Structures are given as structure tokens and as C-alpha cells.
Amino acid sequence: MASRGTAPSLTQRTFERLRADIVGGRLVPGERLRPGGIASAEEVSLNVVREALNRLAGARLVRASPQLGFTVATTSVDDLRDLTDVRSLVEGEALRRSIERGDLTWEGELVAAHHRLERTPMVSADRPDVLDEAWMDVHVAFHAATMSACGSPRMIEMVADLQECASLYRRWSVRVDGGRRDVAGEHRAIFEAAVARDADAACRAHLDHIGRTADLAAAAITGDPSAIPGS
């Protein structure tokens, strides 16, 4: 029986399921995505699947080409470094503006977002090398909250797009972590500096945070853990 619901809701559901499979590693980089097979499995129309895949392509989680159709985006160290450089520029400025302009409502929302992040397990006991999907959601929400008062809708949209791109790499970082990171401490440093209205300290902590993730992800992609700083 076909799924019931409006086309937008079915597209959103299909988008979210495919995104979770890509970010969670169940669909691997370079894997071909066949709209017909997805439509059958999800019990939705081809138009719904194509719309979801086009949205994923817009988020750079999927590649679309006339020859191959849709494939899961590939990963590379060069792309990761480029992404991290752009994130440093855009997110650093968004965070600084947000701290300077944020009011008490923003501060309260940030406190709540950090509380949810601290109370959500990053990994499960039986899968310590796989990021928990619920944690990934509250992680993105926390960082979005730190920058939400920047005053620029376009900048907020750019931050969301960059976070989506980073999700493809974030799952790699935990594979070679080996307990050498205090991720909760990194988030706490960003949070405490933000609520103290210390933009310089918050931006330093944020850039260190995304830099560490990039270093670990690069080591996982290349298979060279010795490349991790401090290893």
C-alpha cells in the first residue's frame, strides 16, 4: 500500500531517512542511489524521491550527474580542509555577531540547547565508533543556537548548509578518536565563553573544536592515525 500524506511531508520524510542513512554510513560515499528502488522501498512516487535527492544534492550529501544519476557524495581530505576553512570564516563571524547582539532570550535558548547536548549520549556502549543520531541532531542544534542571534538570515542559512556538509565528515572523526578528545569539554568552553559574552574566547574555542574534528576525520579517511596532532 502506498504511503499516505501530502507530497511535501512525504518528501521531507524521504529526505530525512536518506540523510540519516548517508550520515550514519549505511549508504557509503560513491554508492549509486537508484530512484526507482528507493521509491519502491519507501512506498512513495518517483517525483517525491527525486525531490528528496535534489535537496540532498543541494546540501552536498549527494552528487547528481547526467551519466551516473545520483550517488552519495565522496569524501576527500582536500574537500574537508576547504570546508573547514570556509566554516572558520563564516561560523566564526556568525558566532561573534551573535554574542555581541544576543539578548536574554537568545541566552536562555543557548542554555537549553547546551543542556540537551550534555544530557544526550554521543555514542552507545555497544557502538562506541558510531555517533548517535539523536546526539548529532542536538549537536547541530547547539551550534546553531550559538550563532542564531547574528542578525543575518543569509548567514544563518549558510551556517546550516555548512553544518550539513560537515555531517558527512563528522562521523569519520569518532573512528580514530580513541578517547583522546573531551568533546563535551570543547562544547562547554564554547558555551561558557558565549554566555560570558567573550566573543574572542568563544571563537577560539569554536575554531579549535572544528579543527580537531577535521584532523581526526582526515586521519580516518587516509588511514594514518599518526597524522593526528598529539598522537
Side-chain angles (χ1 to χ4, degrees):
M1 181 181 295
S3 293
R4 298 181 181 276
T6 63
S9 67
L10 293 175
T11 298
Q12 181 65 22
R13 188 197 70 185
T14 304
F15 169 84
E16 290 175 353
R17 289 188 180 180
L18 289 171
R19 178 188 177 279
D21 284 342
I22 292 169
V23 174
R26 291 178 289 278
L27 294 172
V28 299
E31 181 173 346
R32 190 169 182 181
L33 301 171
R34 302 180 185 278
I38 296 170
S40 178
E42 295 293 326
E43 297 186 315
V44 295
S45 71
L46 277 173
N47 284 340
V48 164
V49 173
R50 289 194 181 101
E51 177 62 25
L53 289 171
N54 281 323
R55 285 182 58 188
L56 289 163
R60 296 182 180 270
L61 296 179
V62 163
R63 296 283 184 266
S65 71
Q67 294 78 24
L68 297 177
F70 295 99
T71 57
V72 178
T74 56
T75 56
S76 72
V77 173
D78 286 344
D79 180 62
L80 170 61
R81 295 304 182 195
D82 181 50
L83 171 62
T84 305
D85 285 346
V86 175
R87 288 185 66 196
S88 297
L89 292 170
V90 176
E91 295 179 13
E93 182 62 21
L95 178 58
R96 181 175 298 279
R97 292 187 184 188
S98 190
I99 291 169
E100 293 171 350
R101 302 176 183 183
D103 57 15
L104 286 177
T105 298
W106 165 78
E107 190 172 310
E109 291 171 350
L110 178 55
V111 169
H114 182 253
H115 181 73
R116 285 191 292 270
L117 180 60
E118 280 208 315
R119 294 301 180 94
T120 305
M122 184 174 171
V123 297
S124 61
D126 58 333
R127 296 294 303 278
D129 61 338
V130 177
L131 291 172
D132 182 84
E133 289 182 12
W135 181 88
M136 292 186 73
D137 288 341
V138 296
H139 174 256
V140 169
F142 166 72
H143 285 294
T146 67
M147 306 175 207
S148 62
C150 70
S152 169
R154 289 183 183 275
M155 188 172 285
I156 289 173
E157 184 176 335
M158 291 174 67
V159 167
D161 288 344
L162 291 168
Q163 286 280 338
E164 195 79 302
C165 294
S167 66
L168 193 62
Y169 289 98
R170 193 172 293 117
R171 67 182 179 83
W172 287 94
S173 65
V174 73
R175 296 185 179 186
V176 295
D177 183 359
R180 57 172 57 90
R181 261 185 107 175
D182 179 9
V183 177
E186 293 172 25
H187 289 131
R188 194 176 307 111
I190 298 169
F191 166 72
E192 290 178 350
V195 295
R197 307 299 175 133
D198 188 339
D200 288 340
C203 288
R204 283 196 303 270
H206 180 75
L207 297 186
D208 286 346
H209 173 63
I210 64 176
R212 289 187 184 117
T213 298
D215 287 339
L216 288 166
I221 291 169
T222 60
D224 183 15
S226 66
I228 304 170
S231 62

PDB file of all heavy atoms in Angstrom, residues 95-96 98-103 106-107 110-111 114 142-143 145-147 186-203 205-206:
ATOM      1  N   LEU A  95      29.207  33.586  14.897  1.00  0.00           N
ATOM      2  CA  LEU A  95      29.276  33.429  16.342  1.00  0.00           C
ATOM      3  C   LEU A  95      29.610  34.760  17.020  1.00  0.00           C
ATOM      4  O   LEU A  95      28.995  35.140  18.023  1.00  0.00           O
ATOM      5  CB  LEU A  95      30.323  32.370  16.693  1.00  0.00           C
ATOM      6  CG  LEU A  95      30.570  32.108  18.180  1.00  0.00           C
ATOM      7  CD1 LEU A  95      29.287  31.692  18.883  1.00  0.00           C
ATOM      8  CD2 LEU A  95      31.647  31.022  18.350  1.00  0.00           C
ATOM      9  N   ARG A  96      30.575  35.484  16.474  1.00  0.00           N
ATOM     10  CA  ARG A  96      30.971  36.762  17.062  1.00  0.00           C
ATOM     11  C   ARG A  96      29.792  37.745  17.070  1.00  0.00           C
ATOM     12  O   ARG A  96      29.495  38.386  18.084  1.00  0.00           O
ATOM     13  CB  ARG A  96      32.150  37.353  16.283  1.00  0.00           C
ATOM     14  CG  ARG A  96      32.658  38.676  16.835  1.00  0.00           C
ATOM     15  CD  ARG A  96      33.891  39.139  16.087  1.00  0.00           C
ATOM     16  NE  ARG A  96      34.984  38.191  16.236  1.00  0.00           N
ATOM     17  CZ  ARG A  96      35.788  38.131  17.298  1.00  0.00           C
ATOM     18  NH1 ARG A  96      35.606  38.992  18.304  1.00  0.00           N
ATOM     19  NH2 ARG A  96      36.751  37.252  17.355  1.00  0.00           N
ATOM     20  N   SER A  98      26.638  37.034  16.920  1.00  0.00           N
ATOM     21  CA  SER A  98      25.574  36.525  17.774  1.00  0.00           C
ATOM     22  C   SER A  98      25.836  36.858  19.242  1.00  0.00           C
ATOM     23  O   SER A  98      24.926  37.267  19.982  1.00  0.00           O
ATOM     24  CB  SER A  98      25.451  35.003  17.589  1.00  0.00           C
ATOM     25  OG  SER A  98      24.303  34.496  18.224  1.00  0.00           O
ATOM     26  N   ILE A  99      27.065  36.698  19.670  1.00  0.00           N
ATOM     27  CA  ILE A  99      27.420  37.011  21.059  1.00  0.00           C
ATOM     28  C   ILE A  99      27.270  38.502  21.329  1.00  0.00           C
ATOM     29  O   ILE A  99      26.799  38.915  22.398  1.00  0.00           O
ATOM     30  CB  ILE A  99      28.860  36.537  21.354  1.00  0.00           C
ATOM     31  CG1 ILE A  99      28.914  35.003  21.357  1.00  0.00           C
ATOM     32  CG2 ILE A  99      29.364  37.091  22.681  1.00  0.00           C
ATOM     33  CD1 ILE A  99      30.310  34.434  21.382  1.00  0.00           C
ATOM     34  N   GLU A 100      27.640  39.316  20.364  1.00  0.00           N
ATOM     35  CA  GLU A 100      27.542  40.763  20.544  1.00  0.00           C
ATOM     36  C   GLU A 100      26.100  41.257  20.541  1.00  0.00           C
ATOM     37  O   GLU A 100      25.769  42.234  21.222  1.00  0.00           O
ATOM     38  CB  GLU A 100      28.328  41.465  19.428  1.00  0.00           C
ATOM     39  CG  GLU A 100      29.841  41.240  19.524  1.00  0.00           C
ATOM     40  CD  GLU A 100      30.590  41.745  18.304  1.00  0.00           C
ATOM     41  OE1 GLU A 100      29.924  42.106  17.298  1.00  0.00           O
ATOM     42  OE2 GLU A 100      31.837  41.774  18.348  1.00  0.00           O
ATOM     43  N   ARG A 101      25.210  40.560  19.813  1.00  0.00           N
ATOM     44  CA  ARG A 101      23.849  41.061  19.629  1.00  0.00           C
ATOM     45  C   ARG A 101      22.797  40.260  20.403  1.00  0.00           C
ATOM     46  O   ARG A 101      21.656  40.718  20.527  1.00  0.00           O
ATOM     47  CB  ARG A 101      23.494  41.031  18.143  1.00  0.00           C
ATOM     48  CG  ARG A 101      24.434  41.849  17.273  1.00  0.00           C
ATOM     49  CD  ARG A 101      24.115  41.708  15.807  1.00  0.00           C
ATOM     50  NE  ARG A 101      25.067  42.438  14.979  1.00  0.00           N
ATOM     51  CZ  ARG A 101      24.994  42.543  13.653  1.00  0.00           C
ATOM     52  NH1 ARG A 101      24.000  41.961  13.009  1.00  0.00           N
ATOM     53  NH2 ARG A 101      25.900  43.226  12.983  1.00  0.00           N
ATOM     54  N   GLY A 102      23.159  39.104  20.895  1.00  0.00           N
ATOM     55  CA  GLY A 102      22.176  38.244  21.539  1.00  0.00           C
ATOM     56  C   GLY A 102      21.573  38.852  22.792  1.00  0.00           C
ATOM     57  O   GLY A 102      22.278  39.461  23.598  1.00  0.00           O
ATOM     58  N   ASP A 103      20.251  38.661  22.967  1.00  0.00           N
ATOM     59  CA  ASP A 103      19.569  39.168  24.155  1.00  0.00           C
ATOM     60  C   ASP A 103      19.366  38.029  25.156  1.00  0.00           C
ATOM     61  O   ASP A 103      19.908  36.931  25.000  1.00  0.00           O
ATOM     62  CB  ASP A 103      18.238  39.819  23.775  1.00  0.00           C
ATOM     63  CG  ASP A 103      17.324  38.864  23.012  1.00  0.00           C
ATOM     64  OD1 ASP A 103      17.587  37.639  23.025  1.00  0.00           O
ATOM     65  OD2 ASP A 103      16.340  39.339  22.413  1.00  0.00           O
ATOM     66  N   TRP A 106      17.923  34.843  23.635  1.00  0.00           N
ATOM     67  CA  TRP A 106      18.967  34.052  22.976  1.00  0.00           C
ATOM     68  C   TRP A 106      19.784  33.285  24.008  1.00  0.00           C
ATOM     69  O   TRP A 106      20.066  32.094  23.841  1.00  0.00           O
ATOM     70  CB  TRP A 106      19.882  34.966  22.168  1.00  0.00           C
ATOM     71  CG  TRP A 106      21.165  34.317  21.741  1.00  0.00           C
ATOM     72  CD1 TRP A 106      21.332  33.441  20.698  1.00  0.00           C
ATOM     73  CD2 TRP A 106      22.454  34.468  22.357  1.00  0.00           C
ATOM     74  NE1 TRP A 106      22.651  33.040  20.627  1.00  0.00           N
ATOM     75  CE2 TRP A 106      23.362  33.649  21.624  1.00  0.00           C
ATOM     76  CE3 TRP A 106      22.933  35.199  23.430  1.00  0.00           C
ATOM     77  CZ2 TRP A 106      24.717  33.552  21.946  1.00  0.00           C
ATOM     78  CZ3 TRP A 106      24.279  35.115  23.759  1.00  0.00           C
ATOM     79  CH2 TRP A 106      25.155  34.300  23.030  1.00  0.00           C
ATOM     80  N   GLU A 107      20.147  33.957  25.087  1.00  0.00           N
ATOM     81  CA  GLU A 107      20.960  33.318  26.110  1.00  0.00           C
ATOM     82  C   GLU A 107      20.218  32.130  26.739  1.00  0.00           C
ATOM     83  O   GLU A 107      20.802  31.069  26.969  1.00  0.00           O
ATOM     84  CB  GLU A 107      21.331  34.337  27.179  1.00  0.00           C
ATOM     85  CG  GLU A 107      22.365  33.840  28.166  1.00  0.00           C
ATOM     86  CD  GLU A 107      22.851  34.949  29.091  1.00  0.00           C
ATOM     87  OE1 GLU A 107      23.217  36.027  28.577  1.00  0.00           O
ATOM     88  OE2 GLU A 107      22.862  34.709  30.317  1.00  0.00           O
ATOM     89  N   LEU A 110      20.199  29.249  24.362  1.00  0.00           N
ATOM     90  CA  LEU A 110      21.521  28.637  24.312  1.00  0.00           C
ATOM     91  C   LEU A 110      21.752  27.741  25.525  1.00  0.00           C
ATOM     92  O   LEU A 110      22.296  26.635  25.400  1.00  0.00           O
ATOM     93  CB  LEU A 110      22.593  29.726  24.237  1.00  0.00           C
ATOM     94  CG  LEU A 110      24.052  29.259  24.217  1.00  0.00           C
ATOM     95  CD1 LEU A 110      24.295  28.271  23.082  1.00  0.00           C
ATOM     96  CD2 LEU A 110      24.984  30.456  24.100  1.00  0.00           C
ATOM     97  N   VAL A 111      21.335  28.200  26.696  1.00  0.00           N
ATOM     98  CA  VAL A 111      21.455  27.380  27.903  1.00  0.00           C
ATOM     99  C   VAL A 111      20.690  26.073  27.723  1.00  0.00           C
ATOM    100  O   VAL A 111      21.184  24.989  28.053  1.00  0.00           O
ATOM    101  CB  VAL A 111      20.932  28.150  29.137  1.00  0.00           C
ATOM    102  CG1 VAL A 111      20.805  27.224  30.344  1.00  0.00           C
ATOM    103  CG2 VAL A 111      21.861  29.313  29.473  1.00  0.00           C
ATOM    104  N   HIS A 114      22.493  23.735  25.184  1.00  0.00           N
ATOM    105  CA  HIS A 114      23.681  23.110  25.766  1.00  0.00           C
ATOM    106  C   HIS A 114      23.286  22.028  26.772  1.00  0.00           C
ATOM    107  O   HIS A 114      23.922  20.968  26.838  1.00  0.00           O
ATOM    108  CB  HIS A 114      24.560  24.157  26.452  1.00  0.00           C
ATOM    109  CG  HIS A 114      25.813  23.583  27.019  1.00  0.00           C
ATOM    110  ND1 HIS A 114      26.008  23.404  28.369  1.00  0.00           N
ATOM    111  CD2 HIS A 114      26.933  23.090  26.415  1.00  0.00           C
ATOM    112  CE1 HIS A 114      27.184  22.855  28.580  1.00  0.00           C
ATOM    113  NE2 HIS A 114      27.770  22.657  27.417  1.00  0.00           N
ATOM    114  N   PHE A 142      22.802  22.835  18.980  1.00  0.00           N
ATOM    115  CA  PHE A 142      23.594  23.653  19.896  1.00  0.00           C
ATOM    116  C   PHE A 142      24.407  24.698  19.138  1.00  0.00           C
ATOM    117  O   PHE A 142      24.388  25.889  19.477  1.00  0.00           O
ATOM    118  CB  PHE A 142      24.530  22.772  20.727  1.00  0.00           C
ATOM    119  CG  PHE A 142      25.601  23.550  21.436  1.00  0.00           C
ATOM    120  CD1 PHE A 142      25.296  24.344  22.525  1.00  0.00           C
ATOM    121  CD2 PHE A 142      26.928  23.499  21.003  1.00  0.00           C
ATOM    122  CE1 PHE A 142      26.283  25.090  23.172  1.00  0.00           C
ATOM    123  CE2 PHE A 142      27.918  24.224  21.637  1.00  0.00           C
ATOM    124  CZ  PHE A 142      27.599  25.023  22.731  1.00  0.00           C
ATOM    125  N   HIS A 143      25.132  24.253  18.118  1.00  0.00           N
ATOM    126  CA  HIS A 143      25.945  25.199  17.368  1.00  0.00           C
ATOM    127  C   HIS A 143      25.080  26.235  16.658  1.00  0.00           C
ATOM    128  O   HIS A 143      25.453  27.418  16.581  1.00  0.00           O
ATOM    129  CB  HIS A 143      26.841  24.458  16.374  1.00  0.00           C
ATOM    130  CG  HIS A 143      28.004  23.768  17.014  1.00  0.00           C
ATOM    131  ND1 HIS A 143      29.021  24.460  17.631  1.00  0.00           N
ATOM    132  CD2 HIS A 143      28.302  22.445  17.154  1.00  0.00           C
ATOM    133  CE1 HIS A 143      29.901  23.609  18.118  1.00  0.00           C
ATOM    134  NE2 HIS A 143      29.484  22.377  17.849  1.00  0.00           N
ATOM    135  N   ALA A 145      22.299  27.360  17.787  1.00  0.00           N
ATOM    136  CA  ALA A 145      21.858  28.288  18.832  1.00  0.00           C
ATOM    137  C   ALA A 145      22.930  29.323  19.155  1.00  0.00           C
ATOM    138  O   ALA A 145      22.615  30.492  19.405  1.00  0.00           O
ATOM    139  CB  ALA A 145      21.475  27.511  20.094  1.00  0.00           C
ATOM    140  N   THR A 146      24.196  28.915  19.141  1.00  0.00           N
ATOM    141  CA  THR A 146      25.256  29.876  19.458  1.00  0.00           C
ATOM    142  C   THR A 146      25.301  31.008  18.438  1.00  0.00           C
ATOM    143  O   THR A 146      25.706  32.130  18.769  1.00  0.00           O
ATOM    144  CB  THR A 146      26.650  29.199  19.506  1.00  0.00           C
ATOM    145  OG1 THR A 146      27.014  28.746  18.197  1.00  0.00           O
ATOM    146  CG2 THR A 146      26.674  28.049  20.487  1.00  0.00           C
ATOM    147  N   MET A 147      24.883  30.747  17.199  1.00  0.00           N
ATOM    148  CA  MET A 147      25.008  31.720  16.116  1.00  0.00           C
ATOM    149  C   MET A 147      23.677  32.337  15.708  1.00  0.00           C
ATOM    150  O   MET A 147      23.628  33.172  14.809  1.00  0.00           O
ATOM    151  CB  MET A 147      25.646  31.047  14.898  1.00  0.00           C
ATOM    152  CG  MET A 147      26.966  30.372  15.199  1.00  0.00           C
ATOM    153  SD  MET A 147      27.620  29.461  13.761  1.00  0.00           S
ATOM    154  CE  MET A 147      28.589  28.208  14.591  1.00  0.00           C
ATOM    155  N   GLU A 186      34.946  20.621  25.067  1.00  0.00           N
ATOM    156  CA  GLU A 186      35.063  21.589  23.984  1.00  0.00           C
ATOM    157  C   GLU A 186      33.778  22.392  23.838  1.00  0.00           C
ATOM    158  O   GLU A 186      33.806  23.617  23.678  1.00  0.00           O
ATOM    159  CB  GLU A 186      35.398  20.865  22.672  1.00  0.00           C
ATOM    160  CG  GLU A 186      36.775  20.230  22.658  1.00  0.00           C
ATOM    161  CD  GLU A 186      37.009  19.368  21.430  1.00  0.00           C
ATOM    162  OE1 GLU A 186      36.344  19.612  20.394  1.00  0.00           O
ATOM    163  OE2 GLU A 186      37.836  18.439  21.497  1.00  0.00           O
ATOM    164  N   HIS A 187      32.647  21.693  23.897  1.00  0.00           N
ATOM    165  CA  HIS A 187      31.365  22.395  23.804  1.00  0.00           C
ATOM    166  C   HIS A 187      31.139  23.299  25.008  1.00  0.00           C
ATOM    167  O   HIS A 187      30.612  24.407  24.878  1.00  0.00           O
ATOM    168  CB  HIS A 187      30.220  21.386  23.677  1.00  0.00           C
ATOM    169  CG  HIS A 187      30.183  20.692  22.359  1.00  0.00           C
ATOM    170  ND1 HIS A 187      30.062  19.330  22.225  1.00  0.00           N
ATOM    171  CD2 HIS A 187      30.264  21.184  21.096  1.00  0.00           C
ATOM    172  CE1 HIS A 187      30.065  19.007  20.951  1.00  0.00           C
ATOM    173  NE2 HIS A 187      30.187  20.106  20.244  1.00  0.00           N
ATOM    174  N   ARG A 188      31.549  22.829  26.174  1.00  0.00           N
ATOM    175  CA  ARG A 188      31.371  23.624  27.379  1.00  0.00           C
ATOM    176  C   ARG A 188      32.184  24.919  27.291  1.00  0.00           C
ATOM    177  O   ARG A 188      31.730  25.980  27.726  1.00  0.00           O
ATOM    178  CB  ARG A 188      31.774  22.820  28.609  1.00  0.00           C
ATOM    179  CG  ARG A 188      31.316  23.429  29.944  1.00  0.00           C
ATOM    180  CD  ARG A 188      31.667  22.530  31.104  1.00  0.00           C
ATOM    181  NE  ARG A 188      31.177  21.171  30.892  1.00  0.00           N
ATOM    182  CZ  ARG A 188      31.958  20.107  30.678  1.00  0.00           C
ATOM    183  NH1 ARG A 188      33.281  20.242  30.663  1.00  0.00           N
ATOM    184  NH2 ARG A 188      31.434  18.912  30.490  1.00  0.00           N
ATOM    185  N   ALA A 189      33.379  24.833  26.729  1.00  0.00           N
ATOM    186  CA  ALA A 189      34.221  26.031  26.587  1.00  0.00           C
ATOM    187  C   ALA A 189      33.558  27.057  25.669  1.00  0.00           C
ATOM    188  O   ALA A 189      33.584  28.269  25.956  1.00  0.00           O
ATOM    189  CB  ALA A 189      35.596  25.638  26.049  1.00  0.00           C
ATOM    190  N   ILE A 190      32.971  26.580  24.568  1.00  0.00           N
ATOM    191  CA  ILE A 190      32.257  27.494  23.661  1.00  0.00           C
ATOM    192  C   ILE A 190      31.074  28.122  24.383  1.00  0.00           C
ATOM    193  O   ILE A 190      30.861  29.339  24.337  1.00  0.00           O
ATOM    194  CB  ILE A 190      31.777  26.731  22.406  1.00  0.00           C
ATOM    195  CG1 ILE A 190      32.964  26.172  21.616  1.00  0.00           C
ATOM    196  CG2 ILE A 190      30.922  27.645  21.524  1.00  0.00           C
ATOM    197  CD1 ILE A 190      32.564  25.184  20.523  1.00  0.00           C
ATOM    198  N   PHE A 191      30.302  27.278  25.068  1.00  0.00           N
ATOM    199  CA  PHE A 191      29.102  27.742  25.765  1.00  0.00           C
ATOM    200  C   PHE A 191      29.438  28.768  26.843  1.00  0.00           C
ATOM    201  O   PHE A 191      28.818  29.843  26.909  1.00  0.00           O
ATOM    202  CB  PHE A 191      28.385  26.534  26.380  1.00  0.00           C
ATOM    203  CG  PHE A 191      27.342  26.881  27.393  1.00  0.00           C
ATOM    204  CD1 PHE A 191      26.145  27.456  26.995  1.00  0.00           C
ATOM    205  CD2 PHE A 191      27.550  26.640  28.748  1.00  0.00           C
ATOM    206  CE1 PHE A 191      25.170  27.792  27.926  1.00  0.00           C
ATOM    207  CE2 PHE A 191      26.595  26.970  29.675  1.00  0.00           C
ATOM    208  CZ  PHE A 191      25.398  27.544  29.270  1.00  0.00           C
ATOM    209  N   GLU A 192      30.398  28.454  27.679  1.00  0.00           N
ATOM    210  CA  GLU A 192      30.720  29.347  28.795  1.00  0.00           C
ATOM    211  C   GLU A 192      31.247  30.690  28.310  1.00  0.00           C
ATOM    212  O   GLU A 192      30.926  31.743  28.873  1.00  0.00           O
ATOM    213  CB  GLU A 192      31.716  28.670  29.729  1.00  0.00           C
ATOM    214  CG  GLU A 192      31.103  27.497  30.503  1.00  0.00           C
ATOM    215  CD  GLU A 192      32.098  26.781  31.393  1.00  0.00           C
ATOM    216  OE1 GLU A 192      33.312  27.078  31.274  1.00  0.00           O
ATOM    217  OE2 GLU A 192      31.673  25.926  32.184  1.00  0.00           O
ATOM    218  N   ALA A 193      32.065  30.662  27.250  1.00  0.00           N
ATOM    219  CA  ALA A 193      32.568  31.925  26.708  1.00  0.00           C
ATOM    220  C   ALA A 193      31.444  32.722  26.074  1.00  0.00           C
ATOM    221  O   ALA A 193      31.405  33.956  26.181  1.00  0.00           O
ATOM    222  CB  ALA A 193      33.670  31.650  25.687  1.00  0.00           C
ATOM    223  N   ALA A 194      30.501  32.031  25.437  1.00  0.00           N
ATOM    224  CA  ALA A 194      29.389  32.734  24.787  1.00  0.00           C
ATOM    225  C   ALA A 194      28.497  33.422  25.807  1.00  0.00           C
ATOM    226  O   ALA A 194      28.158  34.601  25.648  1.00  0.00           O
ATOM    227  CB  ALA A 194      28.572  31.760  23.938  1.00  0.00           C
ATOM    228  N   VAL A 195      28.116  32.717  26.873  1.00  0.00           N
ATOM    229  CA  VAL A 195      27.225  33.335  27.863  1.00  0.00           C
ATOM    230  C   VAL A 195      27.959  34.401  28.681  1.00  0.00           C
ATOM    231  O   VAL A 195      27.333  35.301  29.241  1.00  0.00           O
ATOM    232  CB  VAL A 195      26.582  32.277  28.786  1.00  0.00           C
ATOM    233  CG1 VAL A 195      25.664  31.359  28.004  1.00  0.00           C
ATOM    234  CG2 VAL A 195      27.629  31.494  29.551  1.00  0.00           C
ATOM    235  N   ALA A 196      29.300  34.309  28.730  1.00  0.00           N
ATOM    236  CA  ALA A 196      30.092  35.356  29.389  1.00  0.00           C
ATOM    237  C   ALA A 196      30.318  36.550  28.470  1.00  0.00           C
ATOM    238  O   ALA A 196      30.945  37.538  28.869  1.00  0.00           O
ATOM    239  CB  ALA A 196      31.436  34.791  29.845  1.00  0.00           C
ATOM    240  N   ARG A 197      29.820  36.446  27.230  1.00  0.00           N
ATOM    241  CA  ARG A 197      29.951  37.495  26.212  1.00  0.00           C
ATOM    242  C   ARG A 197      31.407  37.771  25.864  1.00  0.00           C
ATOM    243  O   ARG A 197      31.787  38.908  25.570  1.00  0.00           O
ATOM    244  CB  ARG A 197      29.254  38.784  26.651  1.00  0.00           C
ATOM    245  CG  ARG A 197      27.793  38.591  27.068  1.00  0.00           C
ATOM    246  CD  ARG A 197      26.952  38.061  25.922  1.00  0.00           C
ATOM    247  NE  ARG A 197      25.578  37.763  26.349  1.00  0.00           N
ATOM    248  CZ  ARG A 197      24.498  38.128  25.689  1.00  0.00           C
ATOM    249  NH1 ARG A 197      24.614  38.814  24.564  1.00  0.00           N
ATOM    250  NH2 ARG A 197      23.298  37.781  26.114  1.00  0.00           N
ATOM    251  N   ASP A 198      32.220  36.708  25.890  1.00  0.00           N
ATOM    252  CA  ASP A 198      33.623  36.813  25.500  1.00  0.00           C
ATOM    253  C   ASP A 198      33.746  36.246  24.087  1.00  0.00           C
ATOM    254  O   ASP A 198      34.017  35.054  23.890  1.00  0.00           O
ATOM    255  CB  ASP A 198      34.506  36.034  26.478  1.00  0.00           C
ATOM    256  CG  ASP A 198      35.996  36.269  26.244  1.00  0.00           C
ATOM    257  OD1 ASP A 198      36.361  36.695  25.127  1.00  0.00           O
ATOM    258  OD2 ASP A 198      36.784  35.999  27.166  1.00  0.00           O
ATOM    259  N   ALA A 199      33.522  37.105  23.094  1.00  0.00           N
ATOM    260  CA  ALA A 199      33.488  36.650  21.706  1.00  0.00           C
ATOM    261  C   ALA A 199      34.830  36.095  21.256  1.00  0.00           C
ATOM    262  O   ALA A 199      34.884  35.105  20.509  1.00  0.00           O
ATOM    263  CB  ALA A 199      33.060  37.801  20.790  1.00  0.00           C
ATOM    264  N   ASP A 200      35.920  36.700  21.677  1.00  0.00           N
ATOM    265  CA  ASP A 200      37.236  36.215  21.266  1.00  0.00           C
ATOM    266  C   ASP A 200      37.470  34.792  21.762  1.00  0.00           C
ATOM    267  O   ASP A 200      37.911  33.920  21.003  1.00  0.00           O
ATOM    268  CB  ASP A 200      38.338  37.134  21.803  1.00  0.00           C
ATOM    269  CG  ASP A 200      38.393  38.476  21.097  1.00  0.00           C
ATOM    270  OD1 ASP A 200      37.864  38.575  19.969  1.00  0.00           O
ATOM    271  OD2 ASP A 200      38.967  39.410  21.656  1.00  0.00           O
ATOM    272  N   ALA A 201      37.182  34.544  23.028  1.00  0.00           N
ATOM    273  CA  ALA A 201      37.396  33.207  23.585  1.00  0.00           C
ATOM    274  C   ALA A 201      36.459  32.201  22.955  1.00  0.00           C
ATOM    275  O   ALA A 201      36.851  31.059  22.669  1.00  0.00           O
ATOM    276  CB  ALA A 201      37.196  33.235  25.103  1.00  0.00           C
ATOM    277  N   ALA A 202      35.208  32.582  22.712  1.00  0.00           N
ATOM    278  CA  ALA A 202      34.247  31.662  22.108  1.00  0.00           C
ATOM    279  C   ALA A 202      34.660  31.288  20.688  1.00  0.00           C
ATOM    280  O   ALA A 202      34.583  30.123  20.295  1.00  0.00           O
ATOM    281  CB  ALA A 202      32.856  32.294  22.103  1.00  0.00           C
ATOM    282  N   CYS A 203      35.120  32.265  19.936  1.00  0.00           N
ATOM    283  CA  CYS A 203      35.540  31.981  18.556  1.00  0.00           C
ATOM    284  C   CYS A 203      36.786  31.100  18.537  1.00  0.00           C
ATOM    285  O   CYS A 203      36.888  30.187  17.707  1.00  0.00           O
ATOM    286  CB  CYS A 203      35.792  33.283  17.803  1.00  0.00           C
ATOM    287  SG  CYS A 203      34.282  34.204  17.407  1.00  0.00           S
ATOM    288  N   ALA A 205      37.607  28.896  20.812  1.00  0.00           N
ATOM    289  CA  ALA A 205      37.170  27.565  21.210  1.00  0.00           C
ATOM    290  C   ALA A 205      36.428  26.868  20.073  1.00  0.00           C
ATOM    291  O   ALA A 205      36.603  25.661  19.851  1.00  0.00           O
ATOM    292  CB  ALA A 205      36.266  27.654  22.444  1.00  0.00           C
ATOM    293  N   HIS A 206      35.622  27.633  19.342  1.00  0.00           N
ATOM    294  CA  HIS A 206      34.876  27.046  18.227  1.00  0.00           C
ATOM    295  C   HIS A 206      35.818  26.605  17.102  1.00  0.00           C
ATOM    296  O   HIS A 206      35.679  25.509  16.554  1.00  0.00           O
ATOM    297  CB  HIS A 206      33.856  28.050  17.686  1.00  0.00           C
ATOM    298  CG  HIS A 206      33.055  27.528  16.539  1.00  0.00           C
ATOM    299  ND1 HIS A 206      32.041  26.606  16.687  1.00  0.00           N
ATOM    300  CD2 HIS A 206      33.127  27.775  15.200  1.00  0.00           C
ATOM    301  CE1 HIS A 206      31.520  26.316  15.508  1.00  0.00           C
ATOM    302  NE2 HIS A 206      32.164  27.018  14.594  1.00  0.00           N
TER     303      HIS A 206
END
